[in-house]
Each structure stands twice: as structure tokens, then as C-alpha cells.
Amino acid sequence: MEQDWIWGLIGGLLIGTGGAVYLLANGRIMGASGIIGGLVDGSGKDTKWERLFFLAGVVLLPILLMPLYGSVDTHVTNNIGVLVAAGLLVGVGTRIANGCTSGHGVCGISRLSLRGIVATVFYILAGGISVVLFRHILGII
Amino acid sequence: MRNLFALIAGSFFGAGLFVSGMTDTTKVQGWLDVFGAWDPTLAFVMGGAMIPMFIAWRLTRVRNTPVLGGTFPPPPKPELGRNLIIGSTMFGLGWGLAGLCPGPSIASLSYGGMGTWVFVAAMISGMLLAPMLRARLDRVVPAE
């Protein structure tokens, strides 16, 4: 537990390095919802391969690192209703807001973008309310 | 070349999400749960990620174009707008509910089990529905 924050910091530095490479080499903002969303709705047709290669890296590295860990439990719920509702909210919300934790959070705040800061305040507040509501009040999660 | 660097960037992102523990939904929900056993890890991840990104944004002022050509992203729009608030609130509700956001859900596709695939399928459906919902929002209260 007490070394979790060290791994969090190391992981964060790696995430930020990925974002720095994507920005300085490709000239693009590393936002997961934007990269996926552009593929899904066709708005990123012209940069389709760049997006697919990025996502391939995201999927592949955990596969390569897994032998060092043996196994990792994501503790993801098996409640289908919760997964579907959460997935829909995340999909619709990030596209309407034009960003998620990586785009608005990591990339937006680090360039002192007011939009990034405000978006992050709202999704963290809503996330906190969500956990209080669904865990402590309704007891669903 | 663009694809290679996209793969490298994605690999750093995937590795970072993996080693930081951010694909563990209990760590994300633990950070959001200020009334439960609060887990500070996510703050270190976000803070750590902003360090290289902050330097990278500085460097965009020194170099005028990306290494592989093209242009850097335009400066952020100053206006906030209703969609930013509504969208971020919806995203946050879903994020807290399942403990997953877009990056980690993709990173854990290989080891998160069926639940992760169900979430990603729903997220993609949501992304397909978003333009329709955005148009509907604009009809109720026209965007400024």
C-alpha cells in the first residue's frame, strides 16, 4: 500500500512521457477518448492509422509486462447493468465534453488550459458524487 | 514514421497505466471515495504525468513545428460552454460508477475479463450516440 504512490508516480511519468512524444513528434494531444472517438464516429478518418497504432501500444504493453506481475486483478464489477450504464455515460460524456482524464486532465492542465481545469473539476466532483451515491447511499457498487 | 511514434507514445501510455495501478478500478474508486478508505495514488499519477507534459508544452514554444511535420495543436479555446460542463459531469458519473475511464479500459482489455469488454462496447456505443445527443441539447437550449 505504501509503495503504491511510488508506482503511481513512476506510471504517471511514463504516461506524461507518452503524451510528450505524441505532442512533440506527431503534433497531437494525447487524449484517449478523442483518439478512440475519432475512430468510432469517423471524424478521425485521415489519421486512422496513427490512432490505431497508438491504441495498439496501449493494449500491447500491459501484455508484455504481465509476466513480471504474474496476474493483475482489475476488480472490475460483473454487474452488467452497471458496466453498460457507466460505459454509456463515459462514452457520451467524454465526446460531448471533448476530452477525458488524459486529454483534459493530463494534457489540458499541464498547458494551463481553463477548459481542461474546469472539465477536471467537474468530472472529479461528479465521480465523487457517483461513488457516494452508488456505494454509500444505494449500495450498488 | 508517424505510426511508429504513435506506437511508441501509446506504449508509454499503456505501460504507465499498467504500472501505476490505474487499471485497478478499486484504486480509482478509492481515490474518488473521500468518505471511505481514501487512496491517494491517482493524484500521484496525474501529478507525475503533468511533469513531462508541462515541459513538452514549453518546448512547443521553442520549436515551431512537430518533429514529424504538421502543426502543433491550436491554443485552447477560452470559452467554457455548456457542453464541457454537461459532458464532464456525465463522464464523471460513469467514471465513479465503474472505476474506469477510456485509457485504462483499453489498457486492461487483455486482462480485465469480460467486464472490461462490456464496458468498452458500451463506451463505443455512447461515443456513437454522442453527436445525436449533442444536436438534441442544441435544440433545447441553443449553444451560445
Side-chain angles (χ1 to χ4, degrees):
Chain A
M1 189 72 189
E2 62 187 25
Q3 44 176 320
D4 281 9
W5 69 269
I6 300 174
W7 283 109
L9 189 61
I10 294 169
L13 288 168
L14 288 170
I15 292 167
T17 305
V21 168
Y22 208 44
L23 177 65
L24 295 172
N26 295 46
R28 305 188 60 82
I29 291 176
M30 189 191 72
S33 62
I35 292 170
I36 304 163
L39 285 171
V40 168
D41 64 18
S43 61
K45 250 198 335 264
D46 300 343
T47 48
K48 184 176 69 186
W49 287 107
E50 200 177 36
R51 292 164 191 269
L52 286 170
F53 272 91
F54 180 89
L55 294 176
V58 178
V59 174
L60 276 175
L61 255 287
I63 296 175
L64 296 177
L65 292 170
M66 191 56 88
L68 301 173
Y69 286 73
S71 71
V72 172
D73 193 349
T74 61
H75 300 102
V76 67
T77 176
N78 48 24
N79 183 329
I80 301 286
V82 165
L83 287 165
V84 170
L88 284 171
L89 281 166
V90 169
V92 170
T94 54
R95 289 307 272 164
I96 288 181
N98 220 352
C100 60
T101 345
S102 46
H104 276 316
V106 174
C107 297
I109 294 178
S110 62
R111 78 192 296 205
L112 308 176
S113 151
L114 183 63
R115 283 174 58 82
I117 295 165
V118 170
T120 302
V121 167
F122 273 88
Y123 66 68
I124 287 175
L125 277 177
I129 290 167
S130 182
V131 170
V132 169
L133 180 67
F134 294 110
R135 174 176 287 170
H136 298 295
I137 298 175
L138 299 174
I140 296 172
I141 56 172
Chain B
M1 210 53 176
R2 297 189 71 82
N3 295 340
L4 176 67
F5 276 87
L7 180 69
I8 294 169
S11 298
F12 272 107
F13 188 49
L17 289 171
F18 184 76
V19 306
S20 65
M22 284 300 103
T23 61
D24 183 348
T25 57
T26 53
K27 295 198 81 63
V28 173
Q29 288 174 328
W31 188 74
L32 291 168
D33 189 4
V34 285
F35 297 108
W38 191 64
D39 185 331
T41 311
L42 191 141
F44 286 94
V45 181
M46 289 281 269
M50 281 177 205
I51 299 168
M53 270 318 290
F54 180 79
I55 298 167
W57 283 118
R58 290 275 141 159
L59 288 172
T60 63
R61 295 184 198 172
V62 183
R63 292 187 57 96
N64 290 316
T65 54
V67 177
L68 301 175
T71 51
F72 282 122
K77 284 178 279 180
E79 73 271 21
L80 297 173
R82 179 198 56 197
N83 287 353
L84 186 80
I85 309 294
I86 295 175
S88 296
T89 303
M90 290 177 76
F91 163 44
L93 290 173
W95 188 39
L97 185 54
L100 281 168
C101 54
S105 70
I106 299 293
S108 61
L109 277 177
S110 66
Y111 59 94
M114 272 316 288
T116 311
W117 286 86
V118 172
F119 176 88
V120 170
M123 178 176 76
I124 288 173
S125 311
M127 287 175 168
L128 284 169
L129 291 170
M132 228 161 38
L133 198 85
R134 196 188 292 131
R136 182 158 290 207
L137 276 171
D138 287 344
R139 239 177 296 142
V140 181
V141 186
E144 59 281 0

